[in-house]
Amino acid sequence: MEVKTKYLQLPFHFDEQKLKNDLEIIFNGKWSPMLYKHNYEGGWKSVALYAPDGNPENIFAYNDSRNELKPTPSLRDCHYLQEVIGSFKAPILSARLLRLSVGSIIKPHKDFKMGYEDNNFRIHIPITTNDQVSFVLDNEKLSLLPGQCWYINANFTHSVSNFGKEDRVHLVIDLERNSWSDELFFSLVPIETLTNCNNQMSSEMTENLIAQFKKSGVEIPEHEGKD
């Protein structure tokens, strides 16, 4: 079954000014250029907030290291960012600030197994942006505003351009799917729109999961008459 949910605005809203206050602590520090330079033009840089052994030089989204994931020095004095990251009760795979400079573009591309159907998920929390930023996911332009919280299925083709007068900075957190995230996501949209039942769950497993949620009092949305 085809995955149909490409993005979700999650029911969290974070304090825009507190986010910006913490960004100011980091803003003039060292930002590392993103590694895949064929994917962008201009300035696209990152600051690692969680990384193996807290290594600030490690900005990879996919960490094969067996070293423990720890906060980096950049996060030490950013108490609100710590609070925001701690809001998600799922194992952290990476947490970074991503900064797209004025006049820069991220070319259309897909990420590798970065959707809920892959048992992990990517969260975007805008901190600074402007009305000349264009974020396009599978040919649909999204409006992501400061303090909002979005799940983005990065398996779909996406691109970003910033032709405004202010750098665009997002807090981007990659997390491992777990029972907490299942309860959250499946309360917002039907299970089968998020997961590929052919390679993730049998119909029996899905029915058991629904039964468990109903038993615990979690409401699962109905989806009559939809493919």
Side-chain angles (χ1 to χ4, degrees), residues 91-103:
I92 299 172
L93 301 175
S94 72
R96 303 168 292 161
L97 294 178
L98 298 185
R99 175 182 174 184
L100 188 65
S101 301
V102 170

Side-chain angles (χ1 to χ4, degrees), residues 10 12 50 61 69 84-95 113-116 118-125 149-152 171-178 180-181 184-185:
L10 300 181
F12 300 93
Y50 269 83
L69 204 69
V84 170
I85 295 170
S87 300
F88 301 94
K89 308 305 180 184
I92 299 172
L93 301 175
S94 72
K113 291 189 175 181
M114 190 47 69
Y116 209 74
D118 301 306
N119 293 322
N120 54 61
F121 58 104
R122 175 163 291 172
I123 297 298
H124 276 253
I125 300 169
C149 180
W150 292 79
Y151 157 67
I152 300 295
L171 169 61
V172 179
I173 311 168
D174 294 329
L175 300 134
E176 184 178 324
R177 174 182 170 184
N178 67 357
W180 175 87
S181 66
L184 171 63
F185 279 66

Side-chain angles (χ1 to χ4, degrees), residues 143-189:
S143 177
L144 282 60
L145 301 178
Q148 293 179 344
C149 180
W150 292 79
Y151 157 67
I152 300 295
N153 188 328
N155 288 335
F156 290 92
T157 300
H158 54 286
S159 61
V160 191
S161 61
N162 180 10
F163 296 124
K165 297 181 179 180
E166 181 181 18
D167 288 356
R168 174 250 203 194
V169 180
H170 281 197
L171 169 61
V172 179
I173 311 168
D174 294 329
L175 300 134
E176 184 178 324
R177 174 182 170 184
N178 67 357
S179 58
W180 175 87
S181 66
D182 277 353
E183 183 173 333
L184 171 63
F185 279 66
F186 299 159
S187 70
L188 298 173
V189 292

Side-chain angles (χ1 to χ4, degrees), residues 71-96:
T72 66
S74 298
L75 189 60
R76 185 177 301 129
D77 296 321
C78 297
H79 302 294
Y80 190 62
L81 286 178
Q82 294 177 32
E83 181 181 332
V84 170
I85 295 170
S87 300
F88 301 94
K89 308 305 180 184
I92 299 172
L93 301 175
S94 72
R96 303 168 292 161

